[in-house]
Structures are given as C-alpha cells and as structure tokens.
Amino acid sequence: MIEDDKRIEDLVNKLMSADSLEKAPADFTDNVMSKIEAVSESKTIVYKPLIPKYVWWLIASGFVGLVGYALLSKSNDTTSLSERYNLPDVSFSLWENFSFDFSNALMYATVLLAIMVGVQIPLLKQYFNQRLSY
C-alpha cells in the first residue's frame, strides 16, 4: 500500500514537472472587472409593483361606488335587512354576555404603541431605501 502511494506520488511529480504553469495576462483582472461593470451598468433595476396603479384605482373606485350606492339607495320603508331578503335571524350570543374592561394605562399604552409604529415605519422605509440605493 505504501509502495502504491509512492508510485502515484512519483507519477504526479513527474507530470507536474513536465507541465508548465499558464500565466494570466497582466491586465486580466482589469478586463474582467470592466466587463462586469459594463453588464451591471447596462441592466438597471426598475421597480415594478406587484399590483399596478390602475388596479388600485379600480378597487378604490369600486369601493367608493359601493359605499355611494349603499348611502344613496336608502329605502323609505323601515323593514330590516333580514325581513327584506327573507334571511334567518342569527344571534351571536357567544359575545353577548362578555365585556371588556380596559384600564386607562392599557388604553394609553395601546395608543402610544400605535403612534410609535406609525412613526417608525416611514423612518425605517426611508433608511432602507437610502441604504439600498443602486
């Protein structure tokens, strides 16, 4: 086993001594970097939102139209919605006897948390937009 290893090592040494090392040209790195920069400059990253603006406008106009229709189409009769469309009466008695009593400190903490989140989101967005400038 040791003799086989020596023979393989001698063979490798003989092959390595017979073969000369290839040398890269002196400006090889500069040529590669210039090609990389040319490719990166030619391909600009364009922001394209997942949902186009016209879809947002359609959604907003549909919502406004629905709210406008609901407000303007009030009927003069006093029948309830379930009576008008023959819907069964559904009662949610699960939450009927359950009450929430929040302390003032909890209410103030919740409002403060909402304000702080509302302030931090635009600040973080601006920070990451500046950090990821192309």
Side-chain angles (χ1 to χ4, degrees):
M1 184 121 151
I2 295 175
E3 292 178 14
D4 289 338
D5 288 342
K6 283 200 178 233
R7 285 183 190 164
I8 292 174
E9 188 176 339
D10 290 339
L11 178 64
V12 169
N13 287 337
K14 185 178 178 183
L15 290 174
M16 292 296 285
S17 65
D19 195 19
S20 63
L21 293 176
E22 293 182 20
K23 295 195 179 201
D27 58 347
F28 176 76
T29 305
D30 294 331
N31 290 339
V32 171
M33 290 307 292
S34 66
K35 288 182 181 178
I36 290 173
E37 288 173 359
V39 170
S40 67
E41 288 175 1
S42 67
K43 291 184 180 179
T44 57
I45 298 174
V46 177
Y47 171 73
K48 186 176 178 185
L50 293 176
I51 302 174
K53 284 188 178 183
Y54 72 89
V55 174
W56 285 114
W57 282 108
L58 286 173
I59 291 171
S61 61
F63 181 73
V64 168
L66 186 64
V67 169
Y69 176 75
L71 291 176
L72 296 176
S73 68
K74 287 185 178 178
S75 61
N76 292 335
D77 59 351
T78 58
T79 59
S80 68
L81 188 65
S82 63
E83 291 173 355
R84 187 179 309 156
Y85 295 110
N86 295 326
L87 298 175
D89 289 333
V90 177
S91 66
F92 296 102
S93 61
L94 177 66
W95 301 106
E96 201 170 281
N97 296 327
F98 192 74
S99 66
F100 293 104
D101 292 327
F102 295 120
S103 66
N104 286 339
L106 182 61
M107 293 299 285
Y108 293 141
T110 306
V111 169
L112 184 63
L113 176 68
I115 291 171
M116 296 307 274
V117 167
V119 168
Q120 284 184 4
I121 287 175
L123 291 176
L124 286 172
K125 184 177 183 322
Q126 180 183 8
Y127 170 75
F128 284 117
N129 283 343
Q130 288 176 354
R131 193 172 129 205
L132 296 175
S133 64
Y134 297 101

